[in-house]
Amino acid sequence: MTHPVPGAARPAAWWLRVVFAVIGVFASVLGYIGLERLSEVRPDAIADRYDILYYDLQLFFLSAELFEEPGPYPWQLQVARFVAPLFTLLAVAEAGRLLLAAEIRRLRARRASGHAVVCGDSQFAHMLADRLYADGERVVVVRSEPFGPLEYRRRRYLGVVGDATSVEVLRGAGLSRAHTVYACTDDADRNHAIANTANRLIQDRRHPPRVYVQVHDPEMCLSLQARRLGAAGSSRLRLDYFHVDDIAARALHRHHPLPSALSRPTKVLIAGEGSFRRALLVESARHWRAHRTEGGRSARPLQVDLVAPDARRELTLAVSRYPFLADVCRLSAYDRDIDGLLGLDQFVAEGYDRIYICAPDEISGLQFALDTSALWRGAQGAVFVPVYRQAALAAAFHGDARHDLLDEVHGKLRLYPVLTHACDARLIAEDLTERLAQQIHARYLHAQHRAGVRLGDAPAMVPWSRLPESLRRANRSHVQDIAAKLLNLGCVVAPRHGSAGDASAAGRAIDDRVEQLARLEHERWCRERRGDGWTYGQLRDEARRRHPALRPWDELPPAVQEQNREEIRALPDVLSDSGFELIRLSPAVPAQWGGPADGA
C-alpha cells in the first residue's frame, strides 16, 4: 500500500483562494452594472463603455474620480465600491504573506517545540519527513538545498536551509525543544557531526531529545552501537545508530508474519548475496522465537535454507555472531548462484512458506523473480524481492485493490521497498536500549514462569506491550547502567565473533565479582525506585508505591538476592542476542562503583 501524500487532504487553502476570486469577480460585475445604470442618469460624467471599464477598474484602487461628486448612486455601485477595496486589501495581504513566507517559516521553525528534526537531503530523509508528517507529527527539515514554494505548499512542514552540522542552523530548527533528531544524510561522517553538534546544544537539558544516526554500513553500525553501549553511562543523551536494513526487516515480519498454525515445519528460503539477507535471517529467527515464547509452547524449529555462492560461510558467520539462530532454526546452506535454482525440482518440491530474493544487483534480482515461474510454483506463500530504488514500481504492484497497475501473480509476488518501510519512527525508536530492555524483561518472565508464577499474578508479569511505563523505565535504566558494570568488570562490549577465550575470561570476571555487582545493582535499583516515589512496605502496593525489596541488601530474602545475581550472570547472554560479547581488557576497577546511570 502506498502512503498518502502529505497535504493532499487539506483543501482549506484552495477554497480560500476560490472565495477570494469570487469576491473580485462579484465586485467587478456589480461595479460594471452600477456604472452602466449611472451613465443613463448622468451621461455627462460617463460618455461611453470605455469610461465604464476605466471607472470599474478604479474601484479596486481606493480612488475613483467619479465619486468626487455626491450621489446618489445605484445600489450595485454602492456595494461594489466597498467590496472592491476589500478584494484589494486581501490581495495585498496575500502578496505580503507570500513574500515573507520564508521568513515566517524560519521564525516558526526556530520557535517550534515538541517536534521532530530531520537532517539531510537524501531520499530516505525526504521519505522519513513525509511519513512523520502523515502520522501527525510536527516536522522541521534541515537540508542544504533550498526549498521551492511548491514544495513548501505540498509538504507543509517547516524547513531550514543550511549546514546541519552548524550550531546556528540546528538552533534555528528549534533542536533544543525537539523530542527527536534524525541525522539522515548520504554521508555517514556528516551524520556523526550532526550528532556531535546536537550533543553540544542539549547538554544542559533535563529531558534531552533522542538522537538517531543513520549508518550506511551494517558492520560499522553494530560496532558503533557497541561503543555507545559502553559509554551510555557517561552521557545523558539518548543516542543510537541504525541501519535501514535492520528497521525494514523488523517491519517486514510485523506486516507479514510467518505462518505458524501448520501441521508441518514452516520453511523459508533466502537466496542471494544482498545486504538485506543477514537482517532477514536474524529477524526471522527473532520473530519465530517471540511467537514460540508468546504461545507458551515448544514450537517446531523454523527451517531456513540459504542459497548463495557463499552460503556456508555466511551461515557460519551468522551463527557465531548470533548463537540463538542455531537454537531457533534448522539451517541449511547451498553454495550456488541464484540462477542455480532454475530447473531444480528439489526447491520447487519443498513448498516454501516464504521465499526472499536478495540479489546484489537489484534489477537482476527483480528480473529473476518476474521471469521465473518455478519460484511461484515452489512457494506456498509469497516471493519477496527487497528493492531500494524501485519504490514506485512496488507501489504499481501493491496499491489499493481498486488501483493496482500490475498483477501480483495471485499474491505470490511481493516487491518490498526497503526505504519506504524503514521510515517507521516507532521501529527506529525501538533502539538498542529499548531492545535490550525488552529482552531483560522477557528473561524475567521466563524465570518467573519456571518458578511457578503465572502471567498476571504481579504487575510485572505481563508482556512488554502491557508493562507500566515506570517498569519499562526501570529496565531501560538497568541497560544504561551496563557501562558502569563493564567498567567494574574491566570488560568492554564488542561485536561478537565467537571467541571462546574472550567469553570465558568475561565469564570468570563476572563470577569473581557477581556478589558485589548484585549488591550494587540492588542499591542502584533502590535509588531509582525511591527517586520515583516508592518506599518500603511489607507487601507490594502499586497504589501507595510500597515495595518489600526496598531495604538493605543484607535484609533481603535469599531468593531476591539470587534473582539479582542471576541478572548479573545473564549479562553475556543478553548482549549475545544482539550480536555482542564481553571482552576482558584489564583487571576490575578497584574504585567504588558510582551512582545510577543517567537515562532518558
Side-chain angles (χ1 to χ4, degrees), residues 244-254 276 279-280 283-284 416:
V244 294
D245 286 351
D246 296 331
I247 307 298
R250 276 187 275 150
L252 190 151
H253 288 97
R254 296 199 179 189
F276 198 51
L280 270 176
E283 289 303 327
S284 296
Y416 188 72

Side-chain angles (χ1 to χ4, degrees), residues 222 317 319-323 494-499 503 572 576 579-581:
L222 195 68
L317 293 174
V319 172
S320 67
R321 174 159 292 173
Y322 303 96
R496 184 181 178 88
H497 294 290
S499 173
S576 70
F580 303 115
E581 64 181 343

Side-chain angles (χ1 to χ4, degrees), residues 2-126:
T2 57
H3 297 292
V5 176
R10 298 193 178 190
W14 183 81
W15 280 109
L16 186 62
R17 293 185 179 92
V18 170
V19 172
F20 182 60
V22 168
I23 291 175
V25 173
F26 178 73
S28 180
V29 171
L30 278 184
Y32 189 91
I33 294 174
L35 288 168
E36 192 172 40
R37 294 188 176 180
L38 183 62
S39 66
E40 297 173 357
V41 179
R42 295 169 55 183
D44 56 323
I46 302 177
D48 52 29
R49 292 191 178 274
Y50 292 105
D51 286 343
I52 294 176
L53 290 174
Y54 177 74
Y55 289 129
D56 194 19
L57 291 175
Q58 276 194 333
L59 293 175
F60 292 90
F61 297 98
L62 302 175
S63 61
E65 300 172 4
L66 183 66
F67 297 109
E68 293 178 359
E69 298 182 9
Y73 304 105
W75 69 267
Q76 295 92 341
L77 189 58
Q78 292 281 30
V79 172
R81 70 172 182 164
F82 286 100
V83 174
L86 175 63
F87 174 85
T88 302
L89 292 175
L90 291 174
V92 171
E94 178 67 10
R97 188 187 67 83
L98 292 175
L99 290 173
L100 297 175
E103 183 65 18
I104 293 172
R105 290 189 181 95
R106 188 185 68 80
L107 293 175
R108 287 176 59 197
R110 192 178 187 89
R111 301 181 62 182
S113 62
H115 59 291
V117 177
V118 180
C119 304
D121 297 86
S122 66
Q123 180 184 2
F124 179 78
H126 294 171

Side-chain angles (χ1 to χ4, degrees), residues 303-493:
Q303 179 180 321
V304 180
D305 293 346
L306 179 62
V307 177
D310 61 342
R312 288 189 177 89
R313 177 176 175 272
E314 171 63 17
L315 280 187
T316 301
L317 293 174
V319 172
S320 67
R321 174 159 292 173
Y322 303 96
F324 75 92
L325 290 176
D327 299 329
V328 178
C329 305
R330 185 164 65 84
L331 303 167
S332 301
Y334 300 90
D335 289 338
R336 63 177 74 247
D337 292 329
I338 291 181
D339 293 338
L341 292 172
L342 293 174
L344 292 180
D345 295 335
Q346 168 193 355
F347 294 104
V348 176
E350 281 288 337
Y352 290 101
D353 299 289
R354 188 71 55 80
I355 296 177
Y356 301 102
I357 303 299
C358 304
D361 179 14
E362 183 175 305
I363 299 299
S364 64
L366 179 58
Q367 192 71 52
F368 177 79
L370 291 172
D371 294 345
T372 310
S373 59
L375 284 177
W376 313 335
R377 297 197 307 270
Q380 296 287 340
V383 179
F384 280 79
V385 185
V387 293
Y388 294 84
R389 300 181 302 276
Q390 306 294 324
L393 182 59
F397 272 101
H398 314 303
D400 61 74
R402 296 176 300 171
H403 300 98
D404 283 348
L405 300 179
L406 300 172
D407 175 29
E408 299 175 345
V409 194
H410 295 188
K412 292 278 190 177
L413 182 62
R414 302 287 305 184
L415 272 65
Y416 188 72
V418 173
L419 296 183
T420 300
H421 289 282
C423 295
D424 190 330
R426 289 167 296 184
L427 289 179
I428 295 175
E430 290 182 6
D431 55 14
L432 183 60
T433 297
E434 194 77 3
R435 296 196 301 275
L436 290 177
Q438 291 180 21
Q439 188 185 347
I440 289 172
H441 180 65
R443 294 180 68 88
Y444 167 81
L445 291 180
H446 183 64
Q448 293 295 98
H449 181 72
R450 285 188 304 173
V453 183
R454 296 177 300 179
L455 288 176
D457 285 352
M461 286 299 296
V462 293
W464 179 267
S465 59
R466 292 164 50 196
L467 194 67
E469 181 58 31
S470 62
L471 296 180
R472 293 191 193 187
R473 192 163 54 247
N475 281 285
R476 297 184 193 113
S477 179
H478 181 37
V479 171
Q480 294 194 323
D481 203 55
I482 286 177
K485 296 179 177 67
L486 295 177
L487 178 64
N488 192 281
L489 291 169
C491 295
V492 295
V493 63

